[in-house]
Amino acid sequence: MTDRRVGIIGAGILGLAVGRELTRRRPDTRVVVVDKENRVAAHQTGHNSGVVHAGIYYEPGSAKAVLCARGRDLLREYCAEKRLPYDEVGKLVVAITPDDVTRMDALATRAGANGVPGLRRIDAAQIRDIEPHARGLAALCSPHTAITDFPGIAAAFADDITTAGGEVRLSFPVTSITRRGGAIEIGSPAQSLVVDRLIICAGLHSDAVARAAGDEPGPRIIPFRGEYMLVKPAKRDLVRGLIYPVPDPRYPFLGVHYTRRVGGAVEVGPNAVLAFAREGYRRSAFSARDLCELAAWPGSWRMARRHWRTGIREMYGSVSARAYMRAAARYVPEIGVRDVERGGSGVRAQAVDASGELVDDFRIHHLGPITTVRNAPSPAATSSMAIAEYVLDVIDGRAGT
């Protein structure tokens, strides 16, 4: 890369990881990260579960599998260097039915191909040794799955960028992207920025910003709200680490699970409910513009025809705490609806192709001097430092596209 000025749209953990890696590789390059919010990590990064994934779920050889493994190691080293929390509380992926056991064993084969460290299959008695209040027929135990503070890591990345002479420019809503000769002008209502190269990591708005830069229409982002319950303090100690169900292979979501946070709280969730706004953190959130864009994308209707039953079930769990906890309590029976209260929520930027397929793997497009990250769901936070390496390797001509 010989560009002297590089702009990055998006001050979530991925955009900041790219900016940090760029300042390390090219200390003479002017790096400017812009974001419409007045703080970093305002959206997906600031609303996720804090889990550092070990790589259990991903198709062997996929970008997710490769970059999650690399990203996990980089993140652990970075947290140690910066004295940020990184606690290997461990994860159990619990099977409670014979069908679950069959899918769990297939998952174990996949995880083995991905080199998940320390993974082992355990029986019902061993489940209780690790999580005394959990129940199941069998489980996969991932002792090196960890929890961390992703907003704190994002803030540290931002500090690294500014310390190296770069800039994180907030309250900069991008309204236009225009190529002018060999340069790219990024416009906002109050100011503009001219760069030689542009990298778009816009999360919930990644498709719209990419199209403004000349990228193809798909995939489009469909927002799914993930709602959490908080376990009340009296029952928090019933969960030591992370307790997950065996996921449904038809969906990129992992199902409602128990997560211990670095601050000591225990969450149950998230579910996956269609949001009526890209930033629809509340059930009442509504954006006519976002809904019109969703309705205009043929993939939205094709997805709905395939998965409407699941969608109705998720919506019922959203409005009924009893229904929400009925599923979760199968794994920890002593935590019921009276033991939880409504917690926060996040919105997942789920990419959907025109065919209606939910895009599972990371998807990154390259348009000459413009790179667009079109799909970066979980484990993108875990993988952020590795994704940054990959993006810059491709730009530098050191990796395949």
Side-chain angles (χ1 to χ4, degrees), residues 136-176:
L137 299 177
L140 296 179
C141 175
S142 174
H144 296 294
T145 297
I147 54 176
T148 190
D149 174 13
F150 283 120
I153 293 169
F157 287 169
D159 287 343
D160 291 342
I161 291 168
T162 57
T163 299
E167 184 180 356
V168 178
R169 194 179 296 183
L170 302 175
S171 300
F172 190 114
V174 174
T175 54
S176 64

Side-chain angles (χ1 to χ4, degrees), residues 79-301:
C79 287
E81 175 191 341
K82 297 291 185 177
R83 298 187 178 181
L84 292 166
Y86 188 97
D87 188 0
E88 292 187 345
V89 296
K91 174 195 286 187
L92 296 183
V93 180
V94 179
I96 59 173
T97 69
D99 284 345
D100 283 348
V101 173
T102 299
R103 288 188 286 115
M104 185 195 74
D105 288 340
L107 195 62
T109 300
R110 173 174 288 194
N114 290 338
V116 174
L119 189 78
R120 69 184 192 277
R121 191 186 195 277
I122 61 175
D123 60 23
Q126 292 169 312
I127 290 173
R128 291 190 291 274
D129 288 341
I130 297 169
E131 290 282 1
H133 301 277
R135 295 294 179 268
L137 299 177
L140 296 179
C141 175
S142 174
H144 296 294
T145 297
I147 54 176
T148 190
D149 174 13
F150 283 120
I153 293 169
F157 287 169
D159 287 343
D160 291 342
I161 291 168
T162 57
T163 299
E167 184 180 356
V168 178
R169 194 179 296 183
L170 302 175
S171 300
F172 190 114
V174 174
T175 54
S176 64
I177 299 170
T178 308
R179 296 199 195 192
R180 300 194 183 280
I184 304 161
E185 182 178 0
I186 309 165
S188 76
Q191 55 187 312
S192 64
L193 173 68
V194 177
V195 297
D196 301 306
R197 179 170 291 278
L198 177 62
I199 302 170
I200 298 172
C201 305
L204 290 163
H205 301 272
S206 60
D207 56 342
V209 179
R211 292 199 310 274
D215 201 358
E216 61 191 57
R220 292 286 180 89
I221 294 298
I222 295 183
F224 283 87
R225 186 175 58 256
E227 301 159 331
Y228 291 90
M229 296 287 185
L230 280 174
V231 178
K232 294 177 180 177
K235 292 287 186 81
R236 284 179 185 170
D237 290 343
L238 299 188
V239 177
R240 294 177 174 177
L242 311 173
I243 303 172
Y244 280 57
V246 178
D248 186 332
R250 295 174 299 169
Y251 302 103
F253 312 110
L254 298 180
V256 170
H257 48 270
Y258 294 84
T259 304
R260 179 163 288 278
R261 303 300 298 258
V262 292
V266 173
E267 292 178 333
V268 188
N271 55 4
V273 182
L274 182 66
F276 298 133
R278 288 180 187 257
E279 297 172 16
Y281 299 105
R282 300 183 310 276
R283 274 181 281 172
S284 60
F286 175 87
S287 167
R289 178 179 178 178
D290 291 347
L291 279 177
C292 286
E293 288 184 356
L294 187 151
W297 182 239
S300 301
W301 300 101

Side-chain angles (χ1 to χ4, degrees), residues 28-49:
D28 295 332
T29 298
R30 181 191 176 207
V31 176
V32 182
V33 181
V34 302
D35 196 284
K36 69 184 181 67
E37 304 296 348
N38 62 6
R39 66 193 190 281
V40 303
H43 291 292
Q44 291 184 107
T45 304
H47 292 81
N48 72 16
S49 64

Side-chain angles (χ1 to χ4, degrees), residues 60-78:
S62 67
K64 276 190 175 183
V66 173
L67 296 176
C68 179
R70 171 67 176 162
R72 179 191 67 229
D73 293 342
L74 290 171
L75 201 65
R76 183 178 60 248
E77 294 169 6
Y78 185 80

